[in-house]
Amino acid sequence: MNDDKLLLYYYADELSRDERRQIEAELAANPGLRARYDALQHELDGMRDMEAVKAPEHMVARWHDSIDRAATLERQQSAPAGRSFHFASFAWGSALAATLVLGIGIGFYFSGTEVPHAPVEPGPATANVVDVTPSGDASSPFTRGLQLHFQQASQGIGGMSADSSAEREMLIMHIIQQNRLFVREAKENNSPELARVLRAFEPILARLAADSTTPEEAAKLQAKLAFELNAMLTKMNQPPSNSSESI
Amino acid sequence: MNKLQHCLLAALAVGFSSLAFAQVDDGRSDAEQLKIAAIEALMSAPVERSLPIVERVLRGDDSDEIKERALFVLSQIDQQEAQDLLVELARSGSPGLRQEAVRMIGISGNPGAMALLKDVYRDGDQDMRAAVLEAYLIADNAEDVLALAEEATTPEEFDKAVEALGAMGATEQLRALRGHKGTSESLIEAYAIAGDVESLRELALDDSDPKRQAEALRGLAIADDDDANQIFVEIYRSTDKQELKEAALEAMLIADYDDGVLELFRSSNDPAEKRELLQTLVHMDSNAVWDIIDSTLEDD
């Protein structure tokens, strides 16, 4: 039973009734699992008291303006048979934003908690690859949170329409905000290499959000960013190297 | 090596040598898509394998898009040979790729490569200079940007460097600049972006230059300083300069300080001024405006 399942159980989210019953049965039968869940529950309960990070006012003002413009445009246009406003993608974007906030919040809270894992020693074959795992610990909560951020940002960027829209701008602004939070976390986790990569994404995201960017330029920027996010995921997901596995 | 790695490296070899893939209409051929996937897979390959392949791509005839992807992989290889190649590519080749190589130098953060960026900046055009500033921002290298600002030969060059310092939150360097170059509009904007409310407050209360004071008021509102709200009201009340009153009102609008605007509305005896303040409250979508409208209409 991994922490992801326990998290979903805690938040009563995305689990079927059968899955919940199964987890409840395992918690009742397995004292070690129960202890793990209790510890997680205690930490997540503590997070509720944390103050939410307030978005800068000028960004909120921009979001409001974008929403107003989109609403005005929608009122002015007659609805065609195939509506251009994709409710599914908007709902997905909102869910993505909420999941990103959850991932960041967990990463923030756990970054102050000592996780008793043995450090991963890089093998000789990867000795010259920049180690982007904070303090060499591939399974730390910060690393897991960051992997989730890369994964979901990549999916969000990949699924975004190249045409300018209020929902697209909101998603980009949210990714920028989460990115900045992870930059701070990367510095606190002694991982300047990761901080640089994360900072490198922001100018691309800003150009994606700019009104002056054409759909063609936006498609290229999306492809570039998606590649870089996926490349970082590939790097972070690689197992500890073993010289017997190298070519 | 596991089966997946074998497959990916085989795809890499096929993609680089074959010319037989059909073009598709999405602007990227199957061969290009395969190459990009193979380059991504290099992130998990041993350095002694990935570096020669990346170098071959970068020196070959592939498209700039493919080469940009390879540059990113190169930025993640912590070997002197990789850094030397990045520096070489920052100095020669197509402008777009050179700028991308500069960006990658910022991502790699290698001190030796970073030290060469000031020469690239000095010899470069506007786009290359923007790329160097971006690389410094990525590497969080505020001191080098400060040096560029201090050595700037045109106002535009200065403004760009100052903008970068603001984006980096480099308060210390921005204050140092003020000491050396005086206070300009771009510097005040940079204080706002960097969140240096102390400097902005000082400028907002200094009435020796009303234009600068007005900029500082707007900057304070953008920097989201809660303690600045009373400054806005105080300046609005104390000044007789219309530009400053407008700046103070605009600052309250940006800061969403409707209580301040309401206070001014209630204390004003000038009908034109009251109308303007009421309009401001409407723009702010303040709840207080409905009580005012109610009582105003009742009085009639």
Side-chain angles (χ1 to χ4, degrees):
Chain A
M1 174 85 53
N2 61 29
D3 280 356
D4 291 344
K5 268 273 165 55
L6 293 177
L7 275 171
L8 292 173
Y9 179 75
Y10 174 84
Y11 284 105
D13 192 19
E14 289 193 19
L15 291 177
S16 66
R17 202 177 294 174
D18 285 344
E19 282 172 318
R20 288 193 64 79
R21 284 206 194 109
Q22 191 189 353
I23 294 172
E24 278 159 10
E26 287 195 43
L27 284 171
N30 186 337
L33 182 65
R34 180 81 231 178
R36 230 172 87 204
Y37 178 72
D38 287 344
L40 179 69
Q41 188 177 34
H42 175 72
E43 284 163 351
L44 290 171
D45 284 346
M47 273 174 62
R48 285 203 177 122
D49 297 330
M50 282 170 64
E51 284 185 19
V53 175
K54 194 175 163 190
E57 285 293 334
H58 66 281
M59 284 176 72
V60 173
R62 280 194 69 193
W63 295 342
H64 284 173
D65 285 343
S66 299
I67 291 167
D68 287 345
R69 278 201 306 273
T72 304
L73 199 60
E74 221 175 313
R75 280 197 296 275
Q76 286 168 354
Q77 288 172 348
S78 57
R83 285 181 64 85
S84 59
F85 178 75
H86 298 286
F87 180 78
S89 63
F90 176 79
W92 188 86
S94 304
L96 169 67
T99 311
L100 282 171
V101 169
L102 169 63
I104 295 295
I106 291 168
F108 259 177
Y109 188 81
F110 280 41
S111 65
T113 307
E114 289 222 357
V115 178
H117 291 283
V120 174
E121 294 293 335
T126 55
N128 293 116
V129 169
V130 177
D131 180 8
V132 295
T133 52
S135 307
D137 187 343
S139 57
S140 72
F142 166 68
T143 306
R144 292 202 301 272
L146 186 57
Q147 285 169 321
L148 184 64
H149 168 60
F150 282 155
Q151 186 181 359
Q152 298 197 332
S154 170
Q155 287 168 355
I157 296 293
M160 228 174 3
S161 155
D163 295 323
S164 177
S165 69
E167 83 184 52
R168 178 163 155 260
E169 194 174 322
M170 282 180 70
L171 179 60
I172 292 169
M173 289 302 171
H174 195 83
I175 295 175
I176 287 176
Q177 193 177 13
Q178 302 311 314
N179 223 48
R180 287 180 184 177
L181 294 176
F182 270 116
V183 166
R184 204 162 71 207
E185 279 299 291
K187 289 199 290 201
E188 286 173 15
N189 279 274
N190 196 28
S191 192
E193 302 86 4
L194 266 174
R196 286 195 296 270
V197 172
L198 287 161
R199 275 195 291 267
F201 293 154
E202 187 162 329
I204 303 179
L205 287 162
R207 285 197 278 274
L208 256 179
D211 290 337
S212 55
T213 301
T214 65
E216 293 74 28
E217 286 165 343
K220 284 184 181 167
L221 290 169
Q222 273 173 253
K224 178 185 183 132
L225 193 52
F227 172 86
E228 293 180 2
L229 285 162
N230 286 332
M232 290 309 297
L233 260 176
T234 301
K235 185 171 200 131
M236 292 181 80
N237 286 339
Q238 62 178 321
S241 77
N242 182 338
S243 58
S244 67
E245 290 181 14
S246 58
I247 302 169
Chain B
M1 186 174 59
N2 63 33
K3 278 186 184 172
L4 177 62
Q5 287 174 316
H6 272 299
C7 289
L8 286 170
L9 285 169
L12 187 64
V14 169
F16 288 153
S17 60
S18 172
L19 298 173
F21 286 85
Q23 295 285 328
V24 295
D25 285 338
D26 66 353
R28 210 195 274 169
S29 66
D30 285 344
E32 288 213 318
Q33 289 181 38
L34 194 56
K35 283 184 182 181
I36 288 173
I39 291 171
E40 187 190 311
L42 286 175
M43 292 291 284
S44 58
V47 170
E48 59 267 25
R49 285 283 167 175
S50 61
L51 183 51
I53 294 173
V54 164
E55 184 168 358
R56 197 169 73 227
V57 170
L58 289 167
R59 294 194 190 285
D61 297 330
D62 284 298
S63 67
D64 278 4
E65 187 185 356
I66 300 284
K67 290 186 178 184
E68 280 184 13
R69 307 295 183 259
L71 275 172
F72 185 79
V73 176
L74 190 64
S75 76
Q76 297 299 299
I77 298 175
D78 191 17
Q79 271 196 347
Q80 192 53 47
E81 207 180 318
Q83 299 305 312
D84 291 344
L85 182 54
L86 272 180
V87 169
E88 182 191 325
L89 293 168
R91 286 179 164 152
S92 61
S94 70
L97 273 181
R98 290 181 58 208
Q99 287 154 34
E100 193 64 18
V102 164
R103 177 174 174 254
M104 295 306 146
I105 288 175
I107 289 176
S108 77
N110 177 274
M114 293 291 300
L116 300 171
L117 285 182
K118 61 177 179 298
D119 294 334
V120 174
Y121 181 92
R122 191 192 56 222
D123 299 335
D125 61 11
Q126 198 178 356
D127 289 341
M128 184 54 87
R129 288 179 170 199
V132 170
L133 284 174
E134 188 175 313
Y136 283 140
L137 187 147
I138 288 167
D140 202 22
N141 193 333
E143 279 302 315
D144 279 345
V145 181
L146 172 63
L148 291 182
E150 286 178 335
E151 293 163 10
T153 54
T154 66
E156 293 76 23
E157 203 185 312
F158 177 79
D159 289 349
K160 289 286 180 199
V162 162
E163 205 176 284
L165 285 172
M168 293 161 80
T171 305
E172 188 188 317
Q173 285 77 14
L174 285 168
R175 288 181 184 181
L177 255 185
R178 185 177 159 200
H180 299 161
K181 294 260 191 176
T183 310
S184 63
E185 190 178 320
S186 61
L187 197 57
I188 294 174
E189 272 175 23
Y191 282 143
I193 293 166
D196 185 1
V197 295
E198 196 181 309
S199 297
L200 286 167
R201 254 188 248 136
E202 199 184 308
L203 290 165
L205 293 169
D206 176 2
D207 58 7
S208 62
D209 184 340
K211 194 164 181 283
R212 187 180 66 193
Q213 203 180 358
E215 286 298 328
L217 283 169
R218 286 187 199 103
L220 262 180
I222 290 168
D224 197 27
D225 177 24
D226 288 337
D227 294 335
N229 289 340
Q230 273 314 306
I231 294 178
F232 302 148
V233 173
E234 194 183 300
I235 288 178
Y236 183 97
R237 280 199 168 124
S238 62
T239 187
D240 54 3
K241 296 185 176 60
Q242 190 56 30
E243 185 192 348
L244 264 183
K245 277 191 181 309
E246 282 172 9
L249 197 55
E250 191 183 327
M252 282 184 263
L253 175 69
I254 295 168
D256 202 27
Y257 183 43
D258 57 349
D259 286 344
V261 181
L262 185 61
E263 189 184 321
L264 292 170
F265 174 85
R266 286 193 173 134
S267 61
S268 171
N269 295 318
D270 180 335
E273 185 182 47
K274 280 185 104 75
R275 270 199 301 278
E276 189 187 3
L277 291 166
L278 181 60
Q279 265 174 6
T280 304
L281 283 168
V282 169
H283 286 145
M284 292 167 87
D285 199 23
S286 169
N287 289 333
V289 75
W290 307 116
D291 294 336
I292 295 172
I293 291 172
D294 246 346
S295 63
T296 305
L297 293 174
E298 262 179 20
D299 288 346
D300 287 345

